[in-house]
Amino acid sequence: MKDIEKYLNIEKELPKLPKVLLNTIQSDVLELKMIDKKCKKYLDSCSKIAELKDAYYVVYSKYIDKADHQYEKFIFLGEDGEELFNLSGVEIELYGLLTCTNLKLTHEYKAAISK
């Protein structure tokens, strides 16, 4: 899937997304999800990590097993895709904190994953 772009509208929705992140997300190396700002886990996490209030998205590897998340770095992004800060899996757990994005998958990507 390296040669297939994943999202149709990512550059429009996240105009400040750094190129290296754009390329790795589009090539399906890294995953992008929205932070669910209404969930209890988010509200609890904000009391411990104040910067989280400015974050709207998080980039992470979907290939790392849950048992190894403590070694992973998560990249938190602002509303326009600008990189804000990084946290390790030791500092925050993403499970229960994320929701789907408003990004649309390309037809080529949908066809490739349905095979």
Side-chain angles (χ1 to χ4, degrees):
M1 300 243 253
K2 190 176 182 179
D3 299 326
I4 298 173
E5 287 194 346
K6 185 172 183 177
Y7 294 113
L8 189 63
N9 61 335
I10 192 169
E11 291 181 79
K12 181 182 175 209
E13 294 293 324
L14 303 172
K16 295 181 180 176
L17 185 65
K19 284 287 184 202
V20 69
L21 290 179
L22 172 66
N23 293 338
T24 54
I25 292 165
Q26 284 290 61
S27 62
D28 209 26
V29 171
L30 294 177
E31 186 65 62
L32 172 79
K33 293 284 184 188
M34 278 186 103
I35 296 170
D36 183 355
K37 292 190 171 253
K38 296 177 184 169
C39 74
K40 181 176 176 1
K41 186 169 186 175
Y42 168 77
L43 298 172
D44 292 344
S45 296
C46 282
S47 66
K48 298 172 193 161
I49 306 165
E51 301 95 346
L52 201 54
K53 292 177 183 171
D54 297 326
Y56 284 83
Y57 299 90
V58 65
V59 178
Y60 62 96
S61 173
K62 64 183 188 179
Y63 298 107
I64 295 181
D65 293 331
K66 184 178 180 179
D68 295 324
H69 276 198
Q70 64 190 12
Y71 307 110
E72 186 174 6
K73 287 282 187 186
F74 306 121
I75 303 167
F76 289 85
L77 307 174
E79 195 169 12
D80 292 327
E82 66 277 16
E83 190 173 341
L84 299 177
F85 59 93
N86 302 323
L87 292 174
S88 73
V90 171
E91 298 168 286
I92 192 166
E93 186 177 291
L94 297 182
Y95 290 96
L97 188 63
L98 306 179
T99 187
C100 295
T101 67
N102 54 345
L103 301 175
K104 297 175 184 157
L105 297 174
T106 63
H107 297 294
E108 296 83 10
Y109 183 80
K110 286 187 220 177
I113 61 173
S114 67
K115 291 181 180 178

